Amino acid sequence: MSDSTLFAAAAARVAGGADAHAEAAALVGAMTEDERRWCLDGDHPFWGDLSEMGQGGYHKRTFPAARVERLGIAGFAFSDGPRGVVIGPATAFPVSMARGATWDVDLEERIGEAIGVELRAVGATLYGGVCVNVLRHPAWGRAQETYGEDPVHVGELGAALTRGVQRHAMACVKHFACNSMENTRFAVDVTIDETALHEVYLPHFRRIVDEGVASVMSAYNAVNGEWCGQSRMLLNDVLRERWGFDGFVISDWIFGLRDAGASVHAGLDVEMPYRMIRAFGLDGDLAAGACTEDEIAAAATRVVATLLRFHPVLDQPRPPIDVLAQPTHRALAREAAAKALVLLRNEPVEGTPVLPLDAGSLTSVAVVGRLAAVRNLGDGGSSDVWAPSAVTPLDGLRAALPAVEVRHSDGDVSVAAGSDVAIVVVGYTKADEGEFIGDSGTAHLASLMPAADEPEVVAAYEATRAAEVRDFQPPPDAGGAGGFGFAKGGDRESLRLRPDDEELIAAVAAANPRVVVCLVAGSAVLIDRWDRSVPAVVQSWYAGMEGGHALADVLLGRVQPSGRLPFSVPADPDHLPSFDRDAVEATYDGWHGYWKLAADGNEAAYPFGFGLSYTDLSLLGTEAAQHGDEIVATTVAVNAGTRPGVEVVQAYASAGDGPAKLVGFARVELDAGERKVAEVRFPIARLARWDEAAHDWRPVTGPVQVALARHAGDPAAEATTVELQPPRT
Ligand code: BGC
């Protein structure tokens, strides 16, 4: 758009220090009533765009909104994530849960930067890939899109992604809030008390708001009887008034709100992605007093103010399209996949641990399992990325072992007999878990859809369509319905492997003592029925387009395993909170994850934060002291082995009778034989508890137990007590 518009002039003033909100209010004041309304929803007609989307349009263009050409307001153009940019042949990174297993915020920030560059190259300006709903239960279909079960860990990784993306574009954090069931996402009402909401389900959103995220997407579900897209409690009272969020809020797609006026009154700024409920319902709701013209202007002002603040970022030249999946981004995807791999088990066979494999002494390797040689990058819904290629486990091992006979079979165990080692790749695909695209139970929502599109909007849409829709074609191996990658997904039906996978493992283990099982999944898999029958198990995730190379890197010891579980693997499904995938009413309390296991006296099969290495790591004690608003905890990290290694030092703290919870963490790289002082700092505010009576945080004073540990419940960790001084007045 031209530099001589009202928007350009306002942006220049904001860059020079003028107040973005005041400038935006003036711009909104200069809008016609229609222009103001135009800012309140997506720019495309409902039926027109829906049919395009059904033909694979998800990957061919952005979702635009709030464009007011007369004033030079470009609006925003949305693309999904989180495993990369979903438009065009972009880099498919490992899924967020895998990236959560790296515990590497610097890496996540670099991934964010790469995604930001690719996002701009496809013409998008808003990245909808900061998904941070905590993993309440491993059956959640979209578990892979978030980073784990713990609010502090999830918040730090989401903040890192936001930092990286926002060097190039705006980021949107989702789904606000309590969105952790998939099949009934359009129907479920989550009942939750203030304490659980503020202590467990919101802190990570707050962390990312504090990081300066541009936008928040509301969730589909209801919380305490109100749809999140029209919850004044969440969008106004918590997000804006309590936290001071000054960006804009968008709805989740199509069914994210039910009432035009109530959503405006609640503080939802933009209905996405089409002209739908507001376009047809707002006039009536205004007349009925459900919202006011001032609230409409306030919503438009928040969008424009954010665009003004981000103008210097969005004004950077658009990168060329060939940045998509460029070599540096693929290298980053490979680094992330290698760092994400969690070594769960590595027992000796004839006196030596099975891993790492010694490439020099191998003559034959068997690679078995129906997932060994297929493109399997994760969910087939909104997070699907059309990576131009994908390195499977088989491809990766073959490339890494050119002089070794690599025998492959989906299910014929005979290839394992006589091989030096048998690698079994089992787990899930987008048919088993992911966004619920099949029968999403939307028939009852048909009344929300407009009878017909507005002719003038259709005409404008048709006029720009040819220029906006790109001729991106799905990769030949995308699979799914119509070759566009869509798959049923949904909440997982079982926490165990499919019976045929378990049978395959047993058969391979009978044929060869050296077995390495690779688990492909977006969250916890219960493996207790068979894990002790094989010497080695790794959680290898939906590892992204370079995943096969990364798997070979770690199995061959070219990269040290350093992943740590971002969730607990329970010993028994009964140790988890209840999960009913058909429920339309659910009650969430503050108890899930490792702190529920600890409170109930249940030991995890594999604890949160756990992961083995190829060397001998330990921590020597904990020292901790208060420094102003922070606690600084130190330990000595020791590598007593003969290989380099990476420790993820995890600080767990509790005050009073509260459970010990993660408050901070640090990755520490150690050479063979090295010892290093490792430091973890965390804000004391992380220990505060919610006070239901005061409807506010109750700061912590007095003694606090702090332990630096290698995983939750680490028996070797030594706690120390810090006597907190009352805050200075
Ligand atoms: C998902 C969101 C996504 C949106 C747009 C919705 O169905 O819940 O996560 O950003 O679609 O694709």
Side-chain angles (χ1 to χ4, degrees):
M1 284 200 192
S2 120
D3 285 346
S4 59
T5 60
L6 285 184
F7 180 86
R13 286 193 293 275
V14 170
D19 178 57
H21 199 86
E23 293 288 344
L27 280 171
V28 171
M31 288 180 185
T32 64
E33 187 183 302
D34 278 354
E35 285 170 341
R36 263 198 303 282
R37 302 283 180 85
W38 183 258
C39 294
L40 296 198
D41 49 27
D43 290 353
H44 283 173
F46 178 82
W47 293 107
D49 206 322
L50 203 64
S51 69
E52 185 179 301
M53 187 164 90
Q55 295 159 37
Y58 239 81
H59 300 274
K60 298 185 174 179
R61 71 186 299 168
T62 62
F63 291 101
R67 182 181 170 98
V68 183
E69 203 145 354
R70 186 179 68 86
L71 302 179
I73 299 172
F76 59 85
F78 178 98
S79 167
D80 262 308
R83 66 178 190 259
V85 173
V86 305
I87 298 172
T91 309
F93 290 95
V95 295
S96 300
M97 191 63 87
R99 281 143 48 193
T102 70
W103 298 61
D104 189 337
V105 290
D106 163 66
L107 171 63
E108 189 61 9
E109 188 170 334
R110 287 185 283 132
I111 289 175
E113 287 213 47
I115 287 175
V117 169
E118 296 197 7
L119 192 86
R120 295 302 310 281
V122 300
T125 52
L126 179 62
Y127 177 60
V130 188
C131 175
V132 293
N133 298 103
V134 286
L135 181 71
R136 179 177 170 271
H137 191 285
W140 180 35
R142 298 182 72 175
Q144 64 188 266
E145 292 187 56
T146 189
Y147 296 104
E149 71 185 23
D150 178 87
V152 167
H153 168 263
V154 167
E156 288 306 313
L157 283 149
L161 181 65
T162 301
R163 271 197 305 281
V165 168
Q166 292 201 159
R167 299 218 171 87
H168 304 279
M170 299 183 289
C172 175
V173 64
K174 67 189 186 185
H175 310 82
F176 194 62
C178 299
N179 181 177
S180 46
M181 295 170 59
E182 185 55 12
N183 291 19
T184 58
R185 60 181 168 162
F186 301 124
V188 67
D189 180 16
V190 173
T191 300
I192 185 166
D193 63 30
E194 274 186 25
T195 302
L197 187 64
H198 285 277
E199 291 188 0
V200 177
Y201 288 90
L202 296 185
H204 36 295
F205 282 101
R206 168 98 199 239
R207 172 70 185 83
I208 293 158
V209 164
D210 288 347
E211 193 64 48
V213 75
S215 177
V216 172
M217 182 191 291
S218 57
Y220 284 127
N221 52 282
V223 169
N224 292 338
E226 183 57 277
W227 301 109
C228 291
Q230 48 197 61
S231 165
R232 196 166 163 85
M233 180 274 285
L234 285 172
L235 304 184
N236 185 69
D237 304 354
V238 172
L239 188 57
R240 295 222 168 80
E241 303 222 322
R242 186 176 287 282
W243 297 353
F245 174 63
D246 65 351
F248 60 91
V249 181
I250 64 176
S251 75
D252 202 343
W253 264 223
I254 303 180
F255 300 121
L257 57 130
R258 311 293 156 100
D259 306 295
S263 73
V264 171
H265 177 65
L268 179 85
D269 299 319
V270 188
E271 173 185 1
M272 289 297 284
Y274 305 133
R275 296 193 42 85
M276 194 175 156
I277 292 173
R278 288 177 168 181
F280 296 92
L282 197 55
D283 283 342
D285 284 4
L286 251 178
C291 68
T292 64
E293 286 289 356
D294 283 354
E295 287 169 341
I296 290 175
T301 302
R302 288 189 287 257
V303 176
V304 176
T306 312
L307 295 174
L308 286 170
R309 282 196 291 114
F310 275 83
H311 184 68
V313 172
L314 300 176
D315 204 31
Q316 298 174 96
R318 183 165 161 178
I321 198 72
D322 56 11
V323 299
L324 297 187
Q326 64 181 331
T328 50
H329 294 179
R330 288 174 189 244
L332 198 54
R334 180 169 178 167
E335 178 186 345
K339 284 181 166 172
L341 187 134
V342 184
L343 181 61
L344 293 174
R345 189 174 159 79
N346 190 20
E347 293 297 309
V349 174
E350 291 170 16
T352 313
V354 169
L355 295 172
L357 304 173
D358 174 14
S361 65
L362 289 174
T363 54
S364 62
V365 171
V367 182
V368 190
R370 88 203 131 76
L371 303 182
V374 294
R375 177 187 175 103
N376 189 19
L377 303 181
D379 158 74
S382 61
S383 81
D384 192 11
V385 171
W386 276 0
S389 59
V391 181
T392 67
L394 179 65
D395 297 336
L397 287 157
R398 284 211 163 122
L401 296 169
V404 174
E405 186 194 352
V406 178
R407 307 166 176 170
H408 164 245
S409 168
D410 278 1
D412 178 1
V413 175
S414 66
V415 296
S419 292
D420 295 329
V421 62
I423 296 166
V424 186
V425 187
V426 287
Y428 304 117
T429 71
K430 59 190 173 185
D432 306 301
E433 57 180 1
E435 190 169 351
F436 195 39
I437 302 289
D439 166 22
S440 307
T442 52
H444 68 287
L445 298 171
S447 63
L448 298 174
M449 300 175 186
D453 291 331
E454 304 131 293
E456 66 283 9
V457 176
V458 174
Y461 167 76
E462 294 296 348
T464 58
R465 209 170 137 150
E468 286 178 10
V469 174
R470 305 287 297 264
D471 187 30
F472 297 129
Q473 291 305 317
D477 50 354
F484 289 119
F486 288 133
K488 179 179 133 292
D491 296 315
R492 242 197 248 165
E493 284 170 19
S494 166
L495 299 182
R496 299 189 185 279
L497 292 178
R498 290 160 44 143
D500 54 343
D501 278 350
E502 292 195 347
E503 282 159 23
L504 180 70
I505 292 167
V508 174
N512 192 320
R514 294 177 199 275
V515 179
V516 180
V517 176
C518 304
L519 293 172
V520 182
S523 73
V525 185
L526 269 59
I527 60 176
D528 53 292
R529 284 195 198 143
W530 54 264
D531 59 349
R532 270 147 294 178
S533 67
V534 295
V537 182
V538 302
Q539 180 108 16
S540 57
W541 314 106
Y542 302 108
M545 68 187 294
E546 298 292 316
H549 287 320
L551 179 71
D553 289 342
V554 180
L555 297 189
L556 294 167
R558 294 171 185 168
V559 174
Q560 305 309 315
S562 63
R564 302 288 188 272
L565 287 176
F567 46 68
S568 323
V569 181
D572 185 321
D574 289 347
H575 298 168
L576 293 163
S578 67
F579 185 88
D580 171 3
R581 65 183 53 72
D582 300 319
V584 293
E585 286 179 7
T587 300
Y588 288 7
D589 59 21
W591 295 96
H592 73 260
Y594 62 88
W595 61 97
K596 174 172 168 60
L597 293 178
D600 295 346
N602 292 320
E603 205 161 313
Y606 295 91
F608 173 80
F610 174 82
L612 300 171
S613 71
Y614 293 154
T615 188
D616 177 8
L617 302 173
S618 58
L619 301 177
L620 300 180
T622 305
E623 290 184 9
Q626 179 176 2
H627 288 261
D629 296 340
E630 288 187 324
I631 291 178
V632 179
T634 54
T635 184
V636 177
V638 180
N639 180 357
T642 53
R643 288 173 163 273
V646 179
E647 187 56 283
V648 177
V649 182
Q650 303 160 39
Y652 293 88
S654 66
D657 57 0
K661 282 202 173 179
L662 186 80
V663 282
F665 56 91
R667 269 176 70 96
V668 183
E669 295 185 4
L670 296 155
D671 286 336
E674 195 184 10
R675 41 174 69 205
K676 244 186 204 170
V677 174
E679 179 184 282
V680 181
R681 298 176 160 256
F682 56 92
I684 289 167
R686 284 198 179 145
L687 293 161
R689 303 298 307 272
W690 188 259
D691 183 334
E692 293 260 345
H695 305 292
D696 208 348
W697 292 102
R698 188 174 58 240
V700 168
T701 54
V704 171
Q705 298 287 310
V706 181
L708 294 183
R710 303 187 59 213
H711 56 78
D714 179 357
E718 288 170 26
T720 187
T721 302
V722 182
E723 200 60 47
L724 287 186
Q725 304 306 313
R728 270 178 246 123
T729 47

